[in-house]
Amino acid sequence: MSKQKSAESDLMQKVVSLSKRRGFVFQSSEIYGGLKSAYDYGPLGVELKRNLMNEWWRSMVHEREDVVGLDASIVMHPKVWQASGHLAGFSDPLVDCLISKERFRADKAPRPVAGDSLPITCADKGQAKKYQEAIGKRFEIELRREGTRLMGMRVIDDATVGFFEDGGEEPVRTFPYRGYVSPAFGSPFLSEERQFNLMFRTQLGAVDVMGDIAAFVAENKEMDQKELRAGIEQKVKDSAVYLRPETAQAMFVQFLNCQQTMSMKVPFGIAQMGKSFRNEITTEHFIFRSCEFEQMEMEFFVEPGTQADWLEYWRDRRLEWWRSLSNNPDKFTYRAHDEDELAHYADACYDIEYDYPWGFDELEGVASRTDYDLRKHAEHSGAKLTYFDPQKEDPETGKNGWRYTPYVIEPAAGATRGVLVYLLDAYHEETVTDAKGNEATRVVLKLHPRLAPIKVAVLPLIKKDGMPELARELVSRFFKAGINARYDEQHAIGKRYRRHDEAGTPYCITIDGQTGEDGTVTIRDRDTMEQDRIPMADALAVVQERLVNS
Ligand code: ATP
């Protein structure tokens, strides 16, 4: 491992360990051995996550006249997921291309027959080279590259494909054939068919679905596996509901209610944040990808034809927002999706990426989703999900007044992923020399003061001489002003400073012997460690001012 790489994975380990040590993030159900890839946000973590989400809400909803909020239920009508396309995969088997990772429905795939050649068609020459190497490594054959196509595979019969050298009549190697190839690349290198869905399924109501299934199986002993499965699936489906895999769909479903009750005019947005659930196959990198996580999403409804400009607008705003709360703005960037990466409903998309210890990876997606979602929900529900603009000319009739289905720009961010990003961004070590001249490592979490779990710690130098009383009085002044302060009298003052450095507390106020004499306190800055002596009567105003200007 290179020096840089090992320092980076070191950073991840340090953040994971600090998260536990200081109460940011714990393994879920730890005393029972932990639940894989589920996490609990501890006393400081819950504050950090809430502060982050509140900052998002402030910038996306409170500070904008053109965005309103929503807090929809996590369990929605199952038809929502049918309309959105999320239900596919429960009843239709899905297959993965082993090379491109493309996932598709087996029943919709192209079915070349005996004698057909199977060119693997790539998006560009770079991809062709990459896939040629991947196939070579995995299957020990060297397909011929012809521009963007990889040649040499041919269907031999219903169950076999072969690799043929140029002009060769006999296959050099043969492989099992499933009867179809992947739709985008034409690849015959495929996984098993699997019933697969990212959504967590549960049952609503007091239905005894197990009883129904048992009765169905008992009544249909003569059925084969496939028929039985389809029958059971139907029984389950009748009462099945799903934990939402994204917060987005509720904003489409409540489009009309939100627009009408708040008299919103296009362009306008509906924002929501909250829990989402995905039965991820691979969970990784601590809280980067987990099965239960929080999202902050906004659907911004725009006039058809204006989506490209709005997409750039939101891409820039969102990038700016992430950067504004960070110490290292250069670690955030955006990347346009390639044509072959785009979701089927999107006409363009950007990922806002962060430079994680393993390299640049997604933090937020900003997608131009066309009018796909509103149209699909209109089709499935029968509701008229359109907007009428009396001022605009209908481009088709040339008459005044235009009714259309709005296009949508969606900035969709991960809140829990954001917590990881800001923990990585804030983690800082430096060497300091103590009063006795000894060198030590100071760990400080340089969280933006607005994100910091505790804004100010109030510390009586010793636990007597009236200092605790004065400290508690000051803490209550902060509480009354809505500032999260913490009274802390445990351990020596130096240790308390270090503890609050690790917690990311931007300011520590110390009540000492002088406070009783002249009414002054010291205020210590987390990052510079500088201490100023100020009147205790001004402490609230000083902290308020520093927080506002941070
Ligand atoms: P990825 O490619 O990382 O799986 P995605 O493209 O599927 O993400 P979206 O559906 O666009 O993600 O969701 C928007 C945001 O929600 C992502 O950018 C990410 O921050 C967050 N997110 C998605 N899935 C997870 C997860 N399993 N755990 C934590 N955060 C997630």
Side-chain angles (χ1 to χ4, degrees), residues 278 280 288-290 293 295 362-365 412-414 417:
R278 293 184 194 175
E280 299 275 10
F288 175 80
R289 188 187 307 286
S290 45
F293 56 101
Q295 290 186 302
E362 181 173 340
L363 170 60
E364 171 163 359
R417 202 173 278 188

Side-chain angles (χ1 to χ4, degrees), residues 243-382:
L243 302 189
R244 68 182 178 203
E246 58 179 36
T247 60
Q249 293 304 319
M251 278 87 96
F252 300 123
V253 173
Q254 294 293 6
F255 163 75
L256 275 190
N257 279 335
C258 292
Q259 188 262 319
Q260 288 169 357
T261 52
M262 299 301 282
S263 310
M264 301 307 286
K265 292 193 168 35
V266 169
F268 79 95
I270 308 176
Q272 169 163 233
M273 48 189 196
K275 293 249 171 166
S276 291
F277 303 82
R278 293 184 194 175
N279 215 343
E280 299 275 10
I281 313 168
T282 36
T283 48
E284 54 188 347
H285 304 311
F286 191 36
I287 52 173
F288 175 80
R289 188 187 307 286
S290 45
C291 290
E292 177 176 341
F293 56 101
E294 297 215 46
Q295 290 186 302
M296 310 182 290
E297 299 194 290
M298 198 265 287
E299 308 305 320
F300 198 72
F301 301 95
V302 305
E303 196 182 294
T306 64
Q307 68 270 26
D309 288 344
W310 279 113
L311 178 66
E312 286 186 13
Y313 170 87
W314 280 111
R315 175 198 68 195
D316 295 347
R317 293 308 299 257
R318 296 300 308 139
L319 180 63
E320 202 180 289
W321 183 82
W322 286 109
R323 286 180 166 168
S324 73
L325 294 169
S326 113
N327 296 298
N328 308 290
D330 292 349
K331 286 202 156 206
F332 296 79
T333 186
Y334 66 74
R335 180 182 68 82
H337 275 210
D338 292 334
E339 194 72 19
D340 60 352
E341 226 184 316
L342 282 178
H344 61 94
Y345 49 73
D347 64 6
C349 185
Y350 290 96
D351 278 352
I352 292 181
E353 297 190 329
Y354 178 71
D355 191 3
Y356 298 90
W358 59 94
F360 276 98
D361 209 336
E362 181 173 340
L363 170 60
E364 171 163 359
V366 185
S368 173
R369 297 179 72 117
T370 69
D371 57 356
Y372 178 83
D373 304 89
L374 285 180
R375 273 192 190 286
K376 279 285 163 198
H377 285 298
E379 241 172 73
H380 282 75
S381 66

Side-chain angles (χ1 to χ4, degrees), residues 25-29 34-40 283 287 290-292:
V25 183
F26 305 127
Q27 173 73 63
S28 157
S29 322
L35 180 67
K36 190 177 152 268
S37 70
Y39 296 95
D40 295 347
T283 48
I287 52 173
S290 45
C291 290
E292 177 176 341

